Amino acid sequence: MLRALEFFGVLPSKAATSSTFHTTAVVAHPVVTDLTVCIFSPTVPPSTCELDPRIWHRVEKDLYLYTSQQRAWLYVALANEEELVAEDLLVMDIRVGEPNPSSDHSWESRPGGIWVLRSKFSGKIDQAVTEVDVLFGVDAVDPRPQWTLMRSSLQLNAQPKVPVAKLSVLHGRAKPRPDAWSTLRIREDGKFKIVQISDTHMVTGVGVCKDAIDAHGNDLPESEADPLTVKFIGKVLDVEKPDLVILTGDQLHHNIPDSQSALFKVVAPIIERSIPFAAVFGNHDSEGIHALPRAAQMSILENLPFSLCESGPEQVDGIGNFYLPVLAPAPSQLPLSTLYFLDSHGQIPSLIHNPDYAPIKQSQIDWFVNASQAQRSAREKDDNDNRFYMSLAFLHIPLPEFGYRRLSIRNGHRREPTESPSFNSCFYDALVKGGISALGCGHDHVNDFCALLPQQTQQDGDKTPQPGPWLCYGGGSGFGGYCSFGGKRFHRRTRVWELDTNTGCLKTWKRVEYATDRVNELVLVESGAVIDSPGKEDEGRRYSDASPPTRRDRRREESPEAPRTARSRKTADRHVAFQGTRTQRQATIHPIFRERLGSGRAGNIGALDDWIARHGGTTSSYEELPHRLRISKKHQPMTPSERVIELTKTNGFLLQELAYHKDTRAAEMRFLEKATKLRADIEGALADFDRALEERSKARVDAESILLDYWGIDLGDGNIEDSIFEYFLL
């Protein structure tokens, strides 16, 4: 029974226990007394590294980064500062890769090329080592105050492509974070500048950039990605000198073995320049077997210098739903702007779209509505200041409205179709009611436009249609993520936002590789109100409609909440009742089809296709239209070799998914088989036990009868013990 529980993971096996039990003990005020490296492999029994779990604590990072059958772990011996005595030895210094130094000190060798210097407790721990961590990669950095990253890497004989492991050491106690940067304030000139950095896609190690181009647009060979990203971010920050940096998701690439090392590289150039920063998560940040969950990543961010990141309320879906007020210049406590941050979750399995993403949840919408109303109520109570108030919101995955056909792109480019949730939870309407001036997102790396979706809702009794919040892409900043589409490469970029609370103006522009000036500068808000600045619209704009949509129109035409794919054809047949000639059918086709098709080319589009498209879906006939072929990621012009590669990838994905389902089904069948066998074994054991009891009782009765017959004792009404005693007494 115990073996069965071990097999299914209910109880840990002996081998697992020997390598994981070191994480249970907690030391309140730790001081390092020793450290070592233990290597486990199929040929080395776990007993070769048996350590006392009350003293030794494992750093939960495989030093081989899960690339080998072997596992190597750093173990640190900790003691409680309050329990130290004069005879206790403390680690005062650590070196890696150096021979025993010729000095008066006694250095001790440890596995992995580690040397430790220990001395007796002197009553103070200011110079003693109190924490040890492991980071990976030749480009690893540690932005934590008072931490020292070793230059030399551990000597582990790992594969050449595995990022090297480096120790990072803390001497003494880390000083508490100052609160000087915890409050954002407008500058004395009334301005506040934000740099939005999106989709850095950092990895463990330097990574690879496959689609960089030079200043003239010529393709560059493959190069190390993350150093280029750090350099680009640093240049932008040096030029703009912002008051706040906002990371809008996909800071990390998917399936990386150590999230902490990659995360430190993203924020290091920001912390080095003493700039406050906030962050939201993207769909890739927590993807992968060994990736840290969002809560753990947020905990790391929250404890870094200049971080304004927050986990957000526990009752709200996601990690990182919070807002930051921006106050007037000191010493005023009057807020002049509010910045909202929301977790846009990640990819979900779907039969509607591939890929598909989770929408903004209702708990998040309720939280935002309550928070924005509270902010508005607080402003209404304070009528002593006539300054303008502007609010912005940031998330990673764009809302479905970013892909609407009625969207008016006023600046920048749409170079790829918008990837957004197929289900529209109508968070955009909450943004309109909340008075948000602009919404910034990332996710689609080569989109960098700002656009408006006109509204017909009445605001403050004004019946004139008012434009809604600006919808702006940040553009991809990282060299580790893609920055090409349809065979064409583009430069990396960031978006800059500047609020002027004196004039009620909000501007935005981009900083692009190799460009010395601002790119696509645009005024979004004047005198505190969103304005539409008609100009030359982006030639890559997908749709063009003159009339602004109502909420009902948007939900009916854009949101895929009704039957919406060819899969729903049977359902659609119940809703579409149409009889007539082919000419009559074409006469009822949606104007969008006629506009895109031209004359005489609507023969394949029928009422059924029209009905599905009106409800946010698509059909094979609709996807074959010329404008859909141009914008669809699934129908990009490909060479035969590219098509073969694409089909191979798709086939591999389907095979993996099939294998997953087969493995899952096989595991279920194995579990059922083992459970059935286990039940049969238990029932058999119980039956054997009953038979043994019965045989034992019968044997006892037979033995008693033989004994009584031998002595000639008549049992009578008494028991056998009393009868034998009476017999011998007489």
Side-chain angles (χ1 to χ4, degrees), residues 28 506 523 587 597 633 651:
L506 172 62
V523 177
L597 284 171
K633 289 185 177 180
N651 183 60

Side-chain angles (χ1 to χ4, degrees), residues 245-266:
V245 172
I246 296 178
L247 303 170
T248 49
D250 279 1
Q251 285 75 249
L252 310 184
H253 203 53
H254 56 85
N255 295 324
I256 62 175
D258 185 55
S259 302
Q260 185 183 26
S261 297
L263 202 57
F264 280 173
K265 291 190 293 184
V266 179

Side-chain angles (χ1 to χ4, degrees), residues 295-312:
Q297 292 188 37
M298 182 59 74
S299 178
I300 292 174
L301 292 173
E302 287 177 323
N303 289 284
L304 290 175
F306 302 100
S307 172
L308 301 176
C309 303
E310 299 179 17
S311 297

Side-chain angles (χ1 to χ4, degrees), residues 449-465:
F449 63 77
C450 279
L452 281 174
L453 186 66
Q455 295 289 310
Q456 282 190 333
T457 55
Q458 296 182 5
Q459 299 181 359
D460 299 331
D462 187 0
K463 297 183 179 180
T464 304

Side-chain angles (χ1 to χ4, degrees), residues 172-239:
R173 293 282 175 237
K175 297 179 181 179
R177 292 196 330 163
D179 295 330
W181 63 76
S182 60
T183 302
L184 297 175
R185 290 191 178 275
I186 302 293
R187 286 181 279 182
E188 293 295 335
D189 61 359
K191 295 182 178 181
F192 187 84
K193 184 184 291 186
I194 301 169
V195 167
Q196 177 189 349
I197 300 173
S198 189
D199 296 276
T200 53
H201 282 267
M202 293 289 194
V203 299
T204 308
V206 295
V208 179
C209 177
K210 299 182 179 181
D211 58 0
I213 53 178
D214 62 17
H216 304 289
N218 300 316
D219 293 356
L220 294 175
E222 290 187 3
S223 58
E224 296 179 347
D226 289 1
L228 291 176
T229 302
V230 172
K231 183 179 179 180
F232 176 57
I233 292 174
K235 284 185 177 180
V236 172
L237 298 181
D238 291 338
V239 170

Side-chain angles (χ1 to χ4, degrees), residues 557-591:
E557 295 186 9
E558 315 290 355
S559 177
E561 297 173 351
R564 45 192 170 264
T565 63
R567 175 175 67 87
S568 305
R569 188 172 294 274
K570 292 183 179 180
T571 305
D573 286 339
R574 302 191 195 104
H575 294 75
V576 178
F578 185 87
Q579 294 180 350
T581 65
R582 178 174 177 177
T583 303
Q584 290 174 323
R585 290 199 304 272
Q586 292 185 13
T588 64
I589 292 174
H590 194 277

